[in-house]
Amino acid sequence: MRFVSWAAPLGAAAAIAACGQGFTAGGASGGGDAGPDVANTGDDEVDTGTGSSSGSGSSGGNGEAGPPHEASVSDGPSLSEGGNGDWCSDPQHVGSAKFCEDFDENTLITGFLAPPWTYSENGASFSFDHLGVPSPPNALEVTTSSTSQVNTLVVRSMPASVTSPTTQRLEFDLRIDQASGIGVTAAAAVAAILYGDTVDSGAVALAFGNGPTLSAVYLQAPDAGLPGFGSADATGAFPTLGQWDGRFAIEITFNAGGSGTSGACAQVYVGAAPQLSPCLKLPSSLSHPAQASIALGVYSGGIGSTGTIGLRYDDVTYTEQ
């Protein structure tokens, strides 16, 4: 696998180092792709499969697969055919989202870790949380077991766009249980919009840095030139640990410099409040929308410890405008 640098200047320090494995779940579900077989037709019916996922450190795909995952649509807010949960079935929740996942369609985590998702479990592990979650019965939980070289991700390709979007937004409920021991030259990415199936196409992510701090980071494709990365820290306080802190989002706005420009900017939101002032300007290689994928989990990078991270996600939506 190609070695990729995730270098994220956070606060006054710079996280500069090779980070082992790229920000991708390649090789985790049989083909190594980030879900290229996702339907782009708006069909909610998705074959979750059984016995087809086998991530490093995982028990594989021999869990119980429930009704279909909430899947993508192309022409409206009706994203779900029901199942154990109904958050993604409610248009008031999902609005104009192209994709929704509430993690409620499977009884066991191994039923979820299957195509069209791909996954990796290196230095951390996924599980389902059932207690006090925003939309019962399940939330997706990830907990690290290593303080470096963590690459534990679920990745899924988003529907192809008919027209070129001006914004791409990944939004979710988030509970941060642990974010300690992150070094001044290290960072942990926890949610990202990818410019393709893997990070080699470029990525914009929500990350945790020393402090801890909330940050936005970008990573260019290896052939895009230098600098290959950039970051900006949030101006507000870090979220309160041990509680669901509402909706978080990473959003990319294209043509951010105004009509006729090719600029792009990344912003982090907690609730309706933007956390970066100004937004993180993206390089030209990331200034045009592409076929996107989303990634959830923990990917650590930089020099030194990326600490102990514990997270829970629920009610994930992806929206293009």
Side-chain angles (χ1 to χ4, degrees), residues 15-118:
I16 306 173
C19 301
Q21 295 178 343
F23 191 34
T24 171
S29 66
D33 296 332
D37 295 330
V38 166
N40 296 331
T41 62
D43 184 359
D44 289 338
E45 195 74 24
V46 177
D47 181 8
T48 59
T50 57
S52 57
S53 290
S54 58
S56 175
S58 167
S59 58
N62 55 1
E64 178 182 346
H69 292 301
E70 284 79 358
S72 58
V73 297
S74 59
D75 57 356
S78 179
L79 302 187
S80 172
E81 294 182 353
N84 296 328
D86 62 357
W87 194 92
C88 286
S89 301
D90 189 340
Q92 292 184 348
H93 293 153
V94 300
S96 60
K98 296 183 69 174
F99 173 84
C100 185
E101 176 64 74
D102 57 22
F103 308 107
D104 296 333
E105 313 311 320
N106 293 279
T107 303
L108 302 178
I109 187 64
T110 45
F112 169 72
L113 297 175
W117 293 91
T118 60

Side-chain angles (χ1 to χ4, degrees), residues 109 113 119-121 124-127 140-142 152-154 296-297:
I109 187 64
L113 297 175
Y119 77 101
S120 58
E121 287 185 310
S125 60
F126 288 112
S127 60
L140 179 66
E141 183 172 9
V142 57
T152 297
L153 301 167
V154 288
L296 302 172

Side-chain angles (χ1 to χ4, degrees), residues 157-253:
S157 294
M158 293 295 98
S161 298
V162 177
T163 59
S164 183
T166 58
T167 63
Q168 295 176 331
R169 181 182 178 97
L170 173 61
E171 185 173 326
F172 44 87
D173 285 319
L174 182 66
R175 170 173 170 152
I176 306 171
D177 292 310
Q178 292 180 294
S180 62
I182 304 171
V184 295
T185 57
V190 298
I193 298 173
L194 309 182
Y195 282 62
D197 290 337
T198 73
V199 75
D200 282 350
S201 300
V204 175
L206 171 67
F208 299 163
N210 175 255
T213 59
L214 206 62
S215 300
V217 298
Y218 70 74
L219 179 68
Q220 296 195 78
D223 59 357
L226 297 175
F229 60 88
S231 77
D233 292 338
T235 56
F238 194 76
T240 303
L241 299 182
Q243 67 180 38
W244 289 96
D245 282 316
R247 301 292 285 173
F248 286 65
I250 181 79
E251 182 177 273
I252 305 170
T253 302

